[in-house]
Amino acid sequence: MITLASLAPAASADGEASPRPAKLPTPTAEQARQFSSAKHILAKIEAGRASSAEIEDFVKNYPLVAKVYGDPSKSETTVQEAVITEDGEAVSPRTGKPLSATELAEVAPPAEATEGDHAEEEEAPVETDAAPDAQEVGADSGRIRAAKVKGGKWKMTHITHTHRSYLGQTILKYHTYARFNYKGGKVRAWGKRYDRFSNEADVVKVGSRIENRKSKVPASSATSLMKRHVELCFAGSIGCYANLYPWAKVKVYGNGKTKVAGSGA
């Protein structure tokens, strides 16, 4: 039987998220030339004032820049989830069928995932949103204490925001993980929350976590949010040429349902 411990960080099987050297790439002469010539259009793109025609010209005339410059319209979000029942079985939240160890590994954070720092963590007020298709709350729900929660189901939500360049190359994938316990129409407790990056391009310079927030429980719904600062940089003359702020939010409900938002950009 797969237990709750299976949702703890584990070694990555595919190796895609192994740590990258911090050394930034040195631009070629042609890359430096294109970055210098594209400064005006990059400023317009950054300010959101570039027209579709201008962006098309940018991609055509400065392909070495477009290859490593993020396109917000190409950001993609995927969600993977697993539920650990009160009997300790890992099942799909959609079908209720048992998950294999391989399927569960796609949801659980790998060893390199960074747990949320409790010192930086902000606690938002209790939420009162009713769960979609919520069942009646059990009579004991008002006595639940998150610190010593027993029973209920645990659910892990793994959100991946993929950010790509104007030429479609993956610049980074931002992963966040939030675990919560629910029963009787209440979110009863938060488990550990993590984030990490994978598939980073050489130009990615991962910065600090700038938001780490979760709302109080027990409650009918609760929200977890994490956000990072990322710079895109070359060594030497180009330096850091763009800032990204990937973030992910998951709103969880007392019936186990979830609602996600966020961006890789």
Side-chain angles (χ1 to χ4, degrees), residues 10-21:
S12 177
D14 58 14
E16 71 165 2
S18 58
R20 274 193 315 107

Side-chain angles (χ1 to χ4, degrees), residues 208-235:
S208 61
R209 189 187 288 128
I210 57 177
E211 284 195 65
N212 177 14
R213 188 186 318 144
K214 66 181 183 182
S215 59
K216 292 182 180 179
V217 290
S220 56
S221 68
T223 298
S224 168
L225 171 69
M226 283 191 177
K227 185 176 184 178
R228 285 269 186 172
H229 177 213
V230 172
E231 293 177 287
L232 303 184
C233 311
F234 278 98

Side-chain angles (χ1 to χ4, degrees), residues 165-231:
S165 73
Y166 278 93
L167 291 183
Q169 283 86 354
T170 297
I171 291 180
L172 60 83
K173 290 186 178 183
Y174 181 52
H175 305 261
T176 56
Y177 305 81
R179 184 193 304 169
F180 67 100
N181 182 282
Y182 64 99
K183 184 178 182 179
K186 286 284 188 181
V187 179
R188 310 165 82 222
W190 286 110
K192 292 183 177 181
R193 299 153 58 245
Y194 304 85
D195 70 350
R196 70 179 179 104
F197 289 87
S198 71
N199 297 83
E200 302 131 287
D202 289 344
V203 295
V204 171
K205 182 179 178 182
V206 175
S208 61
R209 189 187 288 128
I210 57 177
E211 284 195 65
N212 177 14
R213 188 186 318 144
K214 66 181 183 182
S215 59
K216 292 182 180 179
V217 290
S220 56
S221 68
T223 298
S224 168
L225 171 69
M226 283 191 177
K227 185 176 184 178
R228 285 269 186 172
H229 177 213
V230 172
E231 293 177 287

Side-chain angles (χ1 to χ4, degrees), residues 8-171:
S12 177
D14 58 14
E16 71 165 2
S18 58
R20 274 193 315 107
K23 186 177 179 180
L24 295 169
T26 300
T28 64
E30 180 59 19
Q31 283 174 322
R33 186 195 69 78
Q34 288 193 20
F35 264 95
S36 179
S37 300
K39 283 183 178 179
H40 176 67
I41 183 60
L42 289 179
K44 293 189 72 173
I45 291 174
E46 186 76 17
R49 294 185 286 105
S51 67
S52 297
E54 287 175 317
I55 291 176
E56 287 181 12
D57 287 342
F58 158 68
V59 173
K60 179 180 178 181
N61 296 323
Y62 307 107
L64 295 182
V65 182
K67 183 179 180 180
V68 292
Y69 202 88
D71 179 358
S73 70
K74 289 187 169 65
S75 185
E76 177 187 347
T77 303
T78 58
V79 181
Q80 296 168 301
E81 296 180 313
V83 170
I84 306 296
T85 69
E86 293 192 62
D87 295 328
E89 185 175 32
V91 301
S92 165
R94 291 185 294 275
T95 67
K97 294 181 179 180
L99 297 177
S100 67
T102 300
E103 290 172 323
L104 188 60
E106 295 178 355
V107 184
E112 62 271 17
T114 303
E115 183 180 350
D117 186 345
H118 296 297
E120 70 178 17
E121 191 174 80
E122 298 179 36
E123 190 170 55
V126 171
E127 297 180 2
T128 58
D129 294 356
D133 303 321
Q135 297 178 345
E136 184 177 353
V137 176
D140 66 339
S141 62
R143 299 194 296 271
I144 294 170
R145 293 295 179 266
K148 296 182 179 180
V149 64
K150 293 182 179 180
K153 295 179 181 180
W154 285 93
K155 187 173 186 179
M156 174 68 86
T157 297
H158 170 200
I159 306 171
T160 304
H161 288 299
T162 301
H163 188 53
R164 295 187 174 88
S165 73
Y166 278 93
L167 291 183
Q169 283 86 354
T170 297
I171 291 180

